[in-house]
Amino acid sequence: QLQFVESGGGLVQPGGSLRLSCAASGFALGYYAIGWFRQAPGKEREGVSCIRSSGDSTNYADSVKGRFTISRDNAKNTVYLQMNNLKPEDTAVYYCAAVRLAYGFTCSPRQDDYYAWGQGTQVTVSS
């Protein structure tokens, strides 16, 4: 059974940094493209970043380009999201999920193609 556990969230001041981790259990992470998503209070969940199964291709939402970096360590079965220069509008619960293998090994623009959502980790950016 595919499961993810997100960690690394917390309270940080504007301009600060956090590194989120998405640890997989029950399967080999290396087969899957993995996405990071976030949901702020009162807003819909949105895609933040995604990394292909091989790690050779990544994409980012325009709002985080140049500030966030996604990476993966398949040997550790973990995907990371390094978040720098954080802004108050980055405040949200952050989730990771895997792209269904039926879609392939690359990232999908549709949230319906993702599954095995983790429980999320709260990121709060505030002074």
Side-chain angles (χ1 to χ4, degrees), residues 9-29:
L11 173 63
V12 63
Q13 292 186 342
S17 298
L18 285 173
R19 188 176 82 154
L20 305 184
S21 297
C22 169
S25 63
F27 67 103
L29 186 70

Side-chain angles (χ1 to χ4, degrees), residues 82-93:
Q82 177 67 43
M83 305 187 298
N84 298 328
N85 190 22
L86 282 160
K87 304 176 180 180
E89 52 263 42
D90 294 318
T91 295
V93 178

